[in-house]
Amino acid sequence: MIFILREKADYSVLREKLQDSSASYKFLDLYGKKIVVAWPDEYVSNIVDPSIEITVKPKKPYQLVSNEWKKEPTKVKVKDAEIGDNKVIVAAGPCAVENEEQVLTVAKAVKRAGASILRGGAYKPRTSPYSFQGLGEEGLKILKKASEETGLPIVSEIMDTRDIEIFKKYVDMMQIGARNAQNFDLLKEVGKAGLPVLLKRGMANTVEEWLLTAEYILLEGNGNVVLCERGIRTFEKATRFTIDIGGMVAAKLQTHLPICADPSHPAGKRELVHSLALAAVAAGADMLLIEVHPHPEKALSDSEQQLTPESFEVLMNRIRALANALGRTA
Amino acid sequence: MIFILREKADYSVLREKLQDSSASYKFLDLYGKKIVVAWPDEYVSNIVDPSIEITVKPKKPYQLVSNEWKKEPTKVKVKDAEIGDNKVIVAAGPCAVENEEQVLTVAKAVKRAGASILRGGAYKPRTSPYSFQGLGEEGLKILKKASEETGLPIVSEIMDTRDIEIFKKYVDMMQIGARNAQNFDLLKEVGKAGLPVLLKRGMANTVEEWLLTAEYILLEGNGNVVLCERGIRTFEKATRFTIDIGGMVAAKLQTHLPICADPSHPAGKRELVHSLALAAVAAGADMLLIEVHPHPEKALSDSEQQLTPESFEVLMNRIRALANALGRTA
Amino acid sequence: MIFILREKADYSVLREKLQDSSASYKFLDLYGKKIVVAWPDEYVSNIVDPSIEITVKPKKPYQLVSNEWKKEPTKVKVKDAEIGDNKVIVAAGPCAVENEEQVLTVAKAVKRAGASILRGGAYKPRTSPYSFQGLGEEGLKILKKASEETGLPIVSEIMDTRDIEIFKKYVDMMQIGARNAQNFDLLKEVGKAGLPVLLKRGMANTVEEWLLTAEYILLEGNGNVVLCERGIRTFEKATRFTIDIGGMVAAKLQTHLPICADPSHPAGKRELVHSLALAAVAAGADMLLIEVHPHPEKALSDSEQQLTPESFEVLMNRIRALANALGRTA
Amino acid sequence: MIFILREKADYSVLREKLQDSSASYKFLDLYGKKIVVAWPDEYVSNIVDPSIEITVKPKKPYQLVSNEWKKEPTKVKVKDAEIGDNKVIVAAGPCAVENEEQVLTVAKAVKRAGASILRGGAYKPRTSPYSFQGLGEEGLKILKKASEETGLPIVSEIMDTRDIEIFKKYVDMMQIGARNAQNFDLLKEVGKAGLPVLLKRGMANTVEEWLLTAEYILLEGNGNVVLCERGIRTFEKATRFTIDIGGMVAAKLQTHLPICADPSHPAGKRELVHSLALAAVAAGADMLLIEVHPHPEKALSDSEQQLTPESFEVLMNRIRALANALGRTA
């Protein structure tokens, strides 16, 4: 249950009523509103109080991320980039940070082509312990430097609750990867950290479960979440993962949060990335996350799926034409 | 192995060599070329003959559908509609033929909005025997009449080998549905029938298996096949099926055959159809298959996912804008 | 809705009431009872008649296969083999009939080891048109001969409605394969043919859809259906398919029909077949369908997964020990 | 590459050679042997040294968990329970620790019925933040107390790297849940902690990926890992997850580590648990993990799938009969 509260009202009586109800509850400041979320519904369904402006009982298990109480789409600001606005925001950069030159080269190239955010992995979740595990904090420093030179804000993946403070020093947006999508402690800590979050969908998560992972973050008072579709696990092996355009659209119909699509991971192969990126924009994605590497064939990870800067520039032009045809910009 | 033969050569010696090889082989006329397909490869790898212009050994299990021997995209003509050309072809109409008025109303509406082909089911594959099973031949007659009034050619689903002759009387394009995608006897008979085929992907078929179902049809000498992605079975239930845009693109990279997308079935809900249709066009679909019903809420099948004629018209305008942005028409 | 009728009653008034209801309905003789199935429920929910002994309204979309109206498990007799009784029935034999000697050798061996039915494919559904397609009627003749020599009844797969009469001449049980599991015309014809049916689950069919395919057969008055789990399509590729032991048990909880498991196809590899067979029996399978070939390494199909006669004998001993521990025989 | 070293040899020259190779490498004590794992293979393929007894180059991406270098099955001791030995070990207890009485009641009951380990969740990974999140350290204390009273060792799920020290105080075996199966930082820390690990398979992880998660733990020098199959995500919804008996067997063929099956989660419903448990034992599981609650209908989580103590006792008797038939005990 969500109670949207009146500004400058006295909430003390309401607080007592909640206390007496034996429900769990939380007072939150979200999107410029004071709200209370309380659960389970049946414990609080009779609560009325002058401090409550509107009572909303979302029909789905997720509450705060639902557009039943907040109709207008949420815009998430990452420095100058506003995700969820008319402009399709593109974050681009290498799968993994390998060295300063690599990152700087890509950062400049993607900026020139029209990207608004620099992506790059410093802490890498790898299926095998024998694969390159990332440069760690050193990698974040390299990203930070590239950010300072180009002005692009940084998004990078965090894998462990113990790394929150380090990430706060270097990045502008924290990414939760598919493999940690239901690492609930991490979700809570990222919620508390307050920075914008790029929240990937777990490769076996339903749309409902995905929205509930975002709910964990909002429940900590952090409303700056962008949901990212990156492909689900299916029987098909012609692609690395199956980009679930339908699931992405289904999510968008339920939530006020903006949606991103990552065409690189489901593609698995460079040749497919353009088509998947365009499909995602046509279906309504607010943001794209694209892997670009100066020399993909030499990359330490995801070598098959990273675009060259040249190919990325061509793609940006196609995205722009498409966005314009749909009444948007890019 | 594919041997592309010289025109007007003497094939008798080649025929003897094939006979002696103990390979299986077939002489075919496909796309204006005389070719021989022979298997297994190892039995014929040493065959040379003056009547052979080019020998191609496709690396994949499918041969005739592969673009390794035929680089230029195939165009499939269904009366005036040319699928695989610059124009995105839209086939639209009701899930099931219910009565004459329903079909005529829709046929006129979709034609006005820009559809080039009329779709409609007369023989219906239904999960439950207690669901409406279609009007059968009566339904085909209704479609034929609507075709005569509007000039739109007809595509309709055939479910059984015994119905080939009936279908030849009424339809312009035979559709193989997802549930019969690996009904190999039906594939062979539809191949022999010679009419253009709209071949849906089975809901559990890999891209490779899908291409091999088309191979069955081409091997009967019928090259007029359009592959149709209609969603695969995955764990996600927010949509009826998961439209596999990536698989569609992966198929297109392997074959010369044109590709269609059916956004209606994977959507399962009207609200999703526009987005999925646009995504498919952006990803390179040559054709769309869309369910439209004059009164979707009263439809005898697929009531949730059929568009109204008004909504279809809006969609056609969006498709046209999108196609133009990509250098195509619609 | 199912009406179980009184024996020797006058059904003429009931027939009129049904006629007047505008419901669809069918009078059937099933399992020694006269019953009427009528749909949709709401059209007939008020019908009462002295000829009706019991009215049952199953809560699921399937009716006749449901154990809501028939509590006692159904036994399906294939000559002397009684499937659904205390004894676990094993059908064994080669994937494909290749020649007389092969079939006879296997038939004798599997009989000696304790199999009760001979399996063998004469019409083969093959993913590729370039794979061995089976011997057709010639193969059925070979099976028939082996049956006459060993006394084992025959189960073999039928793929096309046009082959019903041929199959009636040679086989004792008709198998519907996974790829034709939703070939509804074939289901209807097999229902009419009246022989016992081994009905495989489609590789993307839910338990509910599987039960509904059986419903098609029962609705033609043929109650001799054995449901066969043979593995579903999932992301896992360490096995050929994922044997769904849970789905098999879930089906058994809903239906009175006996259940078979095919451990060979999901295994895909010989090494796994024993374990999957034992697991299926432990979970309650009434029947097993196992591929055995005198020289698996030379088999024209499914070479990797067929057991040798020696390995099959070992397996039969293990199955017997297991069955005994569970209070059954084998 | 794995080098199995001679006891009491001088490793200093080998160490130098490894250093010079620019390979990554680790000296480990595992299963009473001194070994070196070094990667990538090509950097060390020429290394020979008197201190090396055997060089093994596993063909799969996983090395230490492979049975290519260690043929004999590994036995994991959790106090008196030896997993991987002839006796099928059963761990049982409530989904979530709710209070002392609940845990004690269950602990005594499952011990009496023949369980060897007590399971119970104190830190609960819940899809929704509004579901009961577990008692935390308080729950671990309750488990410890039940352990002291009954003598049963404790297995409980750890979700966050920050909780390692707390878990070390209370539990005998750390469980990694399906949602943290690819939380690589957690895998590493659990590896360092040294306690036996019950490692669940992620619901979208292939067998290969699952084995690689165990590799992360062994690479920290902790060889006491039990792999636990708990159901994968598929399209089927008649069960909560699809227990992958085939994948479990496929894993067992590749690794020396013992395998556990959790029949409760894939079942999702009490009625299915017995059958799945028996199937897992028949297929070769070394251990079972089963949810038992004194009053399942009142449970704060997984209410539908927990067994009553009475039902568990019946199951234990059936497991014992089955194990005996297969030449094992339980």
Side-chain angles (χ1 to χ4, degrees), chain D residues 201-321:
Chain D
R201 176 184 182 184
M203 65 179 89
N205 284 148
T206 62
V207 168
E208 185 175 300
E209 289 169 341
W210 184 22
L211 292 171
L212 280 165
T213 61
E215 188 82 10
Y216 266 97
I217 298 173
L218 269 69
L219 193 53
E220 299 297 336
N222 184 349
N224 294 311
V225 176
V226 179
L227 297 163
C228 183
E229 162 62 26
R230 47 77 70 202
I232 57 173
R233 265 277 157 89
T234 73
F235 65 81
E236 180 58 67
K237 300 302 173 211
T239 50
R240 190 171 171 197
F241 294 98
T242 300
I243 191 167
D244 185 9
I245 296 287
M248 192 186 87
V249 179
K252 217 173 159 51
L253 291 172
Q254 302 295 330
T255 185
H256 53 83
L257 295 173
I259 309 254
C260 174
D262 166 356
S264 302
H265 283 86
K269 277 175 238 147
R270 237 179 310 290
E271 295 72 26
L272 298 166
V273 173
H274 281 219
S275 297
L276 301 193
L278 294 170
V281 173
D286 300 294
M287 175 180 171
L288 292 174
L289 183 71
I290 299 173
E291 290 186 349
V292 183
H293 192 284
H295 304 287
E297 71 288 356
K298 295 185 193 158
L300 296 181
S301 57
D302 287 359
S303 158
E304 298 294 314
Q305 79 201 24
Q306 303 201 52
L307 297 185
T308 60
E310 295 70 34
S311 173
F312 177 70
E313 195 184 338
V314 173
L315 175 56
M316 281 304 297
N317 290 334
R318 301 179 73 189
I319 289 170
R320 221 170 277 122

Side-chain angles (χ1 to χ4, degrees), chain A residues 223-298:
Chain A
N224 293 311
V225 176
V226 179
L227 297 162
C228 183
E229 162 63 26
R230 48 77 71 203
I232 57 173
R233 265 276 157 91
T234 73
F235 66 82
E236 181 58 66
K237 300 300 173 212
T239 50
R240 190 171 172 197
F241 294 98
T242 299
I243 192 168
D244 185 8
I245 295 287
M248 190 186 88
V249 178
K252 217 174 158 53
L253 290 173
Q254 302 296 329
T255 185
H256 53 83
L257 295 173
I259 310 254
C260 173
D262 167 354
S264 301
H265 282 85
K269 278 175 239 148
R270 239 181 307 291
E271 294 72 25
L272 298 166
V273 173
H274 281 219
S275 296
L276 300 193
L278 294 170
V281 173
D286 300 295
M287 176 179 170
L288 292 173
L289 184 71
I290 299 172
E291 290 187 349
V292 183
H293 192 285
H295 305 287
E297 72 287 358
K298 295 186 194 159

Side-chain angles (χ1 to χ4, degrees), chain B residues 39 126-128 130 133 159-162 179 182-185 188-189 204 209 212 215-216 233, chain C residues 39 126-128 130 133 159-162 179 182-184 188-189 204 209 212 215-216 233:
Chain B
W39 68 97
R126 301 305 299 273
T127 300
S128 167
Y130 305 118
Q133 305 275 312
M159 289 170 59
D160 190 6
T161 52
R162 297 171 302 180
R179 286 163 188 80
Q182 290 191 310
N183 178 340
F184 299 112
D185 286 288
K188 288 174 186 170
E189 291 303 323
E209 290 169 341
L212 280 165
E215 188 82 11
Y216 267 96
R233 264 276 157 91
Chain C
W39 68 96
R126 301 304 301 273
T127 301
S128 166
Y130 304 118
Q133 306 274 312
M159 290 169 58
D160 190 6
T161 51
R162 296 171 302 180
R179 287 164 187 80
Q182 290 192 310
N183 178 340
F184 299 111
K188 288 174 187 171
E189 292 303 324
E209 289 169 342
L212 280 165
E215 188 82 11
Y216 267 96
R233 265 277 156 90

Side-chain angles (χ1 to χ4, degrees), chain C residues 273-290:
Chain C
V273 173
H274 282 218
S275 297
L276 300 193
L278 294 170
V281 173
D286 300 294
M287 175 180 172
L288 291 174
L289 184 71
I290 299 174

Side-chain angles (χ1 to χ4, degrees), chain B residues 3 24 36 48 67 95 109 133 136 191 230 246 249 281 305:
Chain B
F3 302 114
S24 300
V36 170
V48 287
N67 55 16
C95 172
Q133 305 275 312
R230 47 77 71 202
V249 178
V281 173
Q305 78 201 24

Side-chain angles (χ1 to χ4, degrees), chain A residues 80-289:
Chain A
D80 289 346
E82 196 155 17
I83 304 152
D85 204 357
N86 196 51
K87 183 178 178 186
V88 178
I89 297 297
V90 178
C95 172
V97 173
E98 296 169 5
N99 58 60
E100 206 175 304
E101 198 210 326
Q102 169 227 24
V103 174
L104 253 176
T105 309
V106 170
K108 286 176 189 166
V110 301
K111 186 182 183 184
R112 205 180 314 119
S116 308
I117 301 178
L118 178 64
R119 64 144 289 154
Y123 294 74
K124 298 296 302 171
R126 301 305 299 274
T127 300
S128 166
Y130 305 117
S131 301
F132 174 57
Q133 305 275 312
L135 298 182
E137 187 171 0
E138 194 50 44
L140 293 182
K141 283 181 187 165
I142 291 173
L143 285 170
K144 182 80 177 173
K145 198 162 171 189
S147 172
E148 284 163 359
E149 285 214 24
T150 59
L152 293 176
I154 299 296
V155 59
S156 195
E157 178 172 352
I158 182 166
M159 289 170 61
D160 190 6
T161 51
R162 297 171 300 180
D163 299 329
I164 291 279
E165 292 310 314
I166 293 175
F167 270 72
K168 275 176 150 176
K169 281 201 278 185
Y170 303 107
V171 311
D172 303 290
M173 186 179 209
M174 289 185 189
Q175 180 180 317
I176 303 271
R179 286 162 188 81
N180 278 305
Q182 289 190 312
N183 178 341
F184 300 112
D185 286 289
L186 185 58
L187 292 172
K188 288 174 187 170
E189 291 304 323
V190 160
K192 286 174 195 153
L195 287 182
V197 181
L198 185 64
L199 177 60
K200 290 209 168 177
R201 177 184 182 184
M203 65 180 88
N205 285 148
T206 61
V207 167
E208 186 175 299
E209 289 169 341
W210 183 24
L211 292 171
L212 279 165
T213 61
E215 188 82 10
Y216 266 96
I217 299 173
L218 270 69
L219 194 54
E220 300 296 335
N222 184 349
N224 293 311
V225 176
V226 179
L227 297 162
C228 183
E229 162 63 26
R230 48 77 71 203
I232 57 173
R233 265 276 157 91
T234 73
F235 66 82
E236 181 58 66
K237 300 300 173 212
T239 50
R240 190 171 172 197
F241 294 98
T242 299
I243 192 168
D244 185 8
I245 295 287
M248 190 186 88
V249 178
K252 217 174 158 53
L253 290 173
Q254 302 296 329
T255 185
H256 53 83
L257 295 173
I259 310 254
C260 173
D262 167 354
S264 301
H265 282 85
K269 278 175 239 148
R270 239 181 307 291
E271 294 72 25
L272 298 166
V273 173
H274 281 219
S275 296
L276 300 193
L278 294 170
V281 173
D286 300 295
M287 176 179 170
L288 292 173
L289 184 71

